[in-house]
Amino acid sequence: MTPHEITQVQQSFAKVAPISEQAAALFYGRLFEIAPEVKPMFKGDIREQGKKLIGTLAVVVAGLTDLNSVLPAASRLAKHHVGYGVEAAHYACVGAALLWTLEQGLGDAWTPELTSAWSSAYATLSGYMIAEAYGVAA
């Protein structure tokens, strides 16, 4: 990722953070729509899961300027998710739901350039997580 892309991701996430509860609800609604097979993996309160999602995103977005600072936690998270039944193919669905959610939350501020920046950030992190969890490159 370029420094400009990192700045774009961080600035846009700051705009979504105030509506984090709604963003998380949009995300899970979209995820379950495009990948209904993952819904049974979520056994607890989806609002609590949404808080965890936004919290994790906040840490990752803040850590983009020093990616090595977030990679150990990303590795642990990826390996942990295998136990829930998460497969490498699910990462694409999560990415699609994330980008869709950001587009909904940011409205007119969602541009092709911002789409590219977020896609790059997600590809970097998800590729690393897939390699860590499954031992294969994305």
Side-chain angles (χ1 to χ4, degrees):
M1 292 189 68
T2 68
H4 180 66
E5 287 175 322
I6 291 169
T7 299
Q8 286 185 301
V9 168
Q10 290 174 334
Q11 289 176 348
S12 61
F13 185 74
K15 294 175 184 173
V16 174
I19 60 161
S20 61
E21 191 172 318
Q22 297 93 324
L26 283 171
F27 170 82
Y28 285 112
R30 182 66 173 167
L31 180 62
F32 298 155
E33 180 181 317
I34 62 176
E37 70 276 10
V38 303
K39 191 171 185 177
M41 294 179 199
F42 296 87
K43 308 236 186 276
D45 182 351
I46 201 68
R47 288 173 297 192
E48 286 302 313
Q49 184 63 39
K51 289 177 186 175
K52 291 178 186 178
L53 168 72
I54 299 299
T56 300
L57 275 173
V59 169
V60 169
V61 167
L64 288 175
T65 53
D66 180 18
L67 201 53
N68 288 330
S69 70
V70 297
L71 292 181
S75 176
R76 286 190 301 276
L77 185 64
K79 292 171 184 173
H80 187 73
H81 278 80
V82 172
Y84 291 124
V86 174
E87 299 172 5
H90 292 140
Y91 281 81
C93 300
V94 169
L98 176 63
L99 293 178
W100 180 87
T101 300
L102 292 164
E103 181 180 6
Q104 302 308 302
L106 293 168
D108 291 341
W110 186 251
T111 63
E113 187 180 25
L114 197 51
T115 303
S116 178
W118 271 96
S119 295
S120 179
Y122 186 76
T124 298
L125 190 65
S126 65
Y128 175 79
M129 291 175 74
I130 290 168
E132 287 293 294
Y134 307 101
V136 296

